[in-house]
Amino acid sequence: MNEEERIKAYNKYVKAKIPKTRPFPTLFNSFWVGGLICLIGQGINDLLLYLVPNLSEQAAWSYTLIILIFIAAFLTGIGVYDKIGRFAGGGTIVPITGFSNSITSPSIEFKHEGIIYGICVKMFTIAGPIIVFGVVSSSFVGLIYYIVGLFM
Amino acid sequence: MKCETIKFKKQPKIIGSYSIVGPKEGEGNFKDYFDYIMKNDLFGEKTYEKAERKMIENAITGAIQKAKLSVKDINVLVAGDLLNQIISSSYAARAFNFPYLGVYGACSTMAESMAVASILVDGGYFENVVCCTASHFSTAERQYRFPLELGNQRPPVSQWTVTGAGSCVLSLNGKGPRVTMATFGKVIDWGVVDVNNMGAAMAPSAMETMLSHFENTKTTPDDYDLIVTGDLGKLGSEILIDLMEDKGIKLGVNYGDCGQMYYRRDQQTLCGGSGCGCSATVFNSYIMRKLQDGQYKRVLFMPTGALLSTTATQQGESIPGVCHAIVVENDEG
Amino acid sequence: MEIFLDYLWVFLIGGFICMIGEILIITTNMTSARILVTFVLVGVFLEAIGVFDYISAFAGAGINVPIIGFGASLTKGTISAVESQGLLGIFTGCLTSTAGGISAAIIFGFIFALIFKSHTKK
């Protein structure tokens, strides 16, 4: 057996040997925790619109997201968010709160390396790609929109 | 003759050993055997790196005390850990006034340092040599994986880095179990790329070292009271048993894996413990105690190490493994 | 009754999106950064083909709170900026519309990093 075949055979064997996660409990947990976070967001949004009558809908959404980001950053700080995350998986990663967690957690982790090289540099180690991909792809969409607009 | 195994003529003795572990490890299966259990992972320090350093310092002094020696009697320190540039060991060595040899074998460092120390002592160059290795969950996690506060899930094959340090003193004088043989391992890579699945990456290297050890020493698994690997974990040790069976060697009830046995099942460590501290603390507490009691007469201790770095894995490299074996015997009982 | 139904939709759709994320994690072993990038791209795509507003109309927070909403609002900002400012809008639009979220994450992340210490996992 040559090297390549052995690597292939071994990896295939390992793959078959890996213990399978029982998907049901984690899927269910991610479902209801994720749903609950969205529900809280809707609740905050409706409450804001009710309390401040002349608030525009868009401003209300912005406030809602900022409040959710604040809550997630705070829960990350006191060390609770990772515990919820371990339980709910995708339920806490996919909402905007996961974005907030991914910025706050490296900042806290690397604070001992100093404010500049610790907190500020490491802040975007996880969230950086999200912003880069978001900006690049949406600008690309904007470019297409602009070019199409020129001919219409 | 080309042979990876050394048979020591004078057979250095392990005259003192000391282990220190974190609070989670202190609730695990070996809790009654550790010398010291920290109440807090920070160990009264400001950062986890400093805590790891302090663990090494305390383990070294603890081992020297248990060997009934003083710091002045030590000729050289052989130590290593998991952090980049093995800073924990080097900075800990700063606190002592003896020469220092830094070794790196990832999680196999305990056996590597003991083998190197045995050579130094056996050759008659040094009288008393201290070995020490340590790992810390929080420092390893942020170097190899993600920030602690990130809300992610651990994959089912992942292992839990043990917070702990183990140290021992080797000497020709005094009483204690003897290091009789050492087999150095080759670096083996069977193309596993999943960084979480370190057990599978390291199992082939354990097999390779085990085979050459048995061949060079003309022994079989039955000649040992205990054959123990370091941190293959649940999955990795099952793979090793399968691999050895393919080669016609059956590992029976005298085979165990420190990582797999380390934590209780309800401690949510998935495939078990890992890290330098895993094999180091088990060897310097449980295995040493059993050797001294006479319950074990001959132990084959062979921790494995995954020689990965985040840079290499991000560049798409697979994970090489290495495994060093030492044989520790005690006839006196 | 109607408000109850609205909230039910929010819960179901939000939960469903998060569950897809979890399925991706289990089946592909993706890390959280990749999951978030994937969902942002989904949001950009949904907004670009003009479907997002229809879903948003009845799903509300169910699709706006997941990071998909972030992607959509990036694109929405770019498109409206292109409409008002032309070529310049391609560069100014996306971050203008999401400035609130990104700034909030940076500001709170920074402040809490100064206040809190990281905790060991148990």
Side-chain angles (χ1 to χ4, degrees):
Chain A
M1 209 177 354
N2 66 25
E3 190 68 23
E4 213 167 287
E5 275 172 34
R6 192 181 58 191
I7 285 174
K8 237 179 179 172
Y10 183 64
N11 274 302
K12 201 174 151 197
Y13 157 79
V14 168
K15 211 170 173 190
K17 191 107 188 160
I18 286 175
K20 298 280 170 290
T21 29
R22 279 174 308 149
F24 178 73
T26 33
L27 285 186
F28 179 70
N29 291 340
S30 67
F31 179 79
W32 76 260
V33 174
L36 189 69
I37 291 171
C38 297
L39 213 55
I40 292 169
Q42 187 73 51
I44 293 170
N45 188 51
D46 291 354
L47 195 69
L48 280 173
L49 286 173
Y50 174 76
L51 291 176
V52 191
N54 52 358
L55 200 66
S56 79
E57 207 157 288
Q58 203 175 356
W61 269 124
S62 296
Y63 275 120
T64 307
L65 293 183
I66 290 169
I67 291 168
L68 284 176
I69 286 169
F70 174 81
I71 294 171
F74 180 73
L75 289 178
T76 306
I78 60 170
V80 171
Y81 201 88
D82 65 307
K83 293 194 177 72
I84 310 172
R86 189 138 141 216
F87 170 76
T92 49
I93 293 173
V94 176
I96 195 85
T97 50
F99 175 71
S100 170
N101 173 246
S102 74
I103 286 190
T104 312
S105 62
S107 315
I108 293 178
E109 185 75 37
F110 290 95
K111 75 182 281 194
H112 290 297
E113 276 77 8
I115 289 175
I116 302 285
Y117 287 102
I119 297 177
C120 302
V121 170
K122 300 284 183 179
M123 189 175 256
F124 293 102
T125 41
I126 298 161
I130 301 156
I131 296 174
V132 173
F133 266 88
V135 167
V136 172
S137 61
S138 64
S139 298
F140 182 69
V141 170
L143 180 70
I144 294 173
Y145 193 81
Y146 176 74
I147 293 168
V148 171
L150 287 181
F151 295 104
M152 296 253 274
Chain B
M1 193 184 77
K2 190 174 167 288
C3 179
E4 301 89 349
T5 303
I6 301 167
K7 285 177 190 155
F8 295 113
K9 292 191 185 71
K10 295 183 195 156
Q11 305 190 337
K13 300 182 190 80
I14 305 170
I15 56 170
S17 67
Y18 192 85
S19 58
I20 175 167
V21 292
K24 186 185 172 103
E25 289 67 28
E27 290 166 11
N29 288 325
F30 296 110
K31 62 169 185 269
D32 300 331
Y33 297 93
F34 298 126
D35 292 295
Y36 186 83
I37 296 167
M38 305 187 310
K39 284 176 191 68
N40 183 309
D41 265 12
L42 272 171
F43 208 10
E45 293 289 328
K46 261 178 118 171
T47 69
Y48 294 116
E49 281 77 8
K50 287 190 175 129
E52 186 173 334
R53 187 182 311 164
K54 191 174 169 189
M55 277 157 51
I56 297 187
E57 288 170 9
N58 284 17
I60 292 172
T61 32
I64 296 173
Q65 267 169 17
K66 278 180 80 180
K68 299 199 181 65
L69 295 173
S70 80
V71 184
K72 272 183 261 148
D73 302 322
I74 303 301
N75 300 109
V76 68
L77 163 71
V78 185
D81 58 90
L82 281 181
L83 296 186
N84 290 338
Q85 286 85 35
I86 52 171
I87 49 167
S88 301
S89 310
S90 309
Y91 278 77
R94 186 174 65 175
F96 297 99
N97 192 23
F98 35 75
Y100 156 72
L101 287 175
V103 289
Y104 182 78
C107 316
S108 72
T109 310
M110 194 68 219
E112 187 181 356
S113 62
M114 284 179 72
V116 170
S118 300
I119 294 168
L120 295 176
V121 173
D122 190 64
Y125 302 109
F126 294 104
E127 207 179 330
N128 304 310
V129 178
V130 193
C131 308
C132 187
T133 57
S135 59
H136 194 299
F137 173 78
S138 304
T139 60
E141 198 68 8
R142 84 174 186 160
Q143 180 179 312
Y144 289 105
R145 296 176 196 98
F146 297 107
L148 292 168
E149 305 295 346
L150 188 70
N152 59 342
Q153 281 179 319
R154 307 171 71 80
V157 291
S158 66
Q159 288 167 272
W160 191 279
T161 307
V162 166
T163 303
S167 176
C168 59
V169 182
L170 274 81
S171 175
L172 289 178
N173 315 316
K175 277 181 84 172
R178 295 166 291 120
V179 182
T180 54
M181 286 181 264
T183 303
F184 289 109
K186 295 175 222 160
V187 175
I188 306 289
D189 189 342
W190 280 20
V192 173
V193 284
D194 183 0
V195 283
N196 291 306
N197 198 354
M198 294 205 288
M202 296 187 293
S205 67
M207 176 201 76
E208 200 75 32
T209 304
M210 211 183 243
L211 285 176
S212 68
H213 179 81
F214 287 150
E215 196 189 327
N216 294 336
T217 59
K218 311 233 164 18
T219 52
T220 62
D222 296 331
D223 294 328
Y224 300 93
D225 296 315
L226 180 71
I227 298 172
V228 63
T229 47
D231 55 354
L232 290 176
K234 189 172 173 298
L235 180 69
S237 52
E238 281 170 14
I239 290 173
L240 179 65
I241 291 171
D242 283 3
L243 289 174
M244 290 304 282
E245 210 169 311
D246 286 347
K247 301 280 177 187
I249 294 175
K250 208 163 156 34
L251 293 174
V253 284
N254 60 346
Y255 167 71
D257 181 76
C258 299
Q260 187 188 1
M261 298 182 290
Y262 211 100
Y263 296 102
R264 291 195 321 271
R265 188 171 289 186
D266 59 331
Q267 283 183 299
Q268 296 188 359
T269 53
L270 304 158
C271 262
S274 73
C276 298
C278 179
S279 54
T281 51
V282 174
F283 180 83
N284 288 308
S285 58
Y286 176 80
I287 296 173
M288 277 300 289
R289 185 86 64 88
K290 295 279 174 190
L291 276 164
Q292 281 158 349
D293 289 354
Q295 211 162 336
Y296 295 146
K297 297 247 180 293
R298 204 178 199 203
V299 173
L300 175 59
F301 175 62
M302 40 184 305
T304 48
L307 304 170
L308 78 168
S309 94
T310 43
T311 314
T313 40
Q314 278 167 1
Q315 290 177 359
E317 287 275 0
S318 53
I319 306 165
V322 70
C323 175
H324 302 296
I326 56 169
V327 177
V328 185
E329 290 180 46
N330 193 18
D331 311 322
E332 292 149 25
Chain C
M1 190 61 211
E2 201 170 301
I3 192 152
F4 173 75
L5 214 63
D6 281 352
Y7 275 80
L8 189 70
W9 272 120
V10 169
F11 179 74
L12 289 178
I13 292 176
F16 181 70
I17 290 168
C18 294
M19 199 171 74
I20 293 174
E22 181 64 23
I23 291 171
L24 281 175
I25 294 173
I26 292 178
T27 52
T28 63
N29 266 335
M30 271 192 191
T31 54
S32 59
R34 291 204 177 159
I35 297 284
L36 287 169
V37 167
T38 313
F39 277 89
V40 165
L41 291 179
V42 168
V44 169
F45 179 73
L46 287 180
E47 179 66 35
I49 59 170
V51 177
F52 186 83
D53 285 342
Y54 293 103
I55 308 174
S56 177
F58 69 91
I63 191 138
N64 278 296
V65 170
I67 199 91
I68 290 178
F70 182 76
S73 103
L74 281 166
T75 315
K76 197 180 290 174
T78 315
I79 289 175
S80 66
V82 168
E83 276 170 353
S84 60
Q85 299 170 315
L87 194 59
L88 186 64
I90 297 170
F91 297 96
T92 58
C94 52
L95 285 180
T96 315
S97 61
T98 53
I102 294 177
S103 303
I106 294 174
I107 292 164
F108 298 138
F110 187 77
I111 292 171
F112 287 133
L114 291 178
I115 300 173
F116 294 110
K117 273 198 289 202
S118 65
H119 304 72
T120 307
K121 287 189 183 182
K122 285 266 156 60

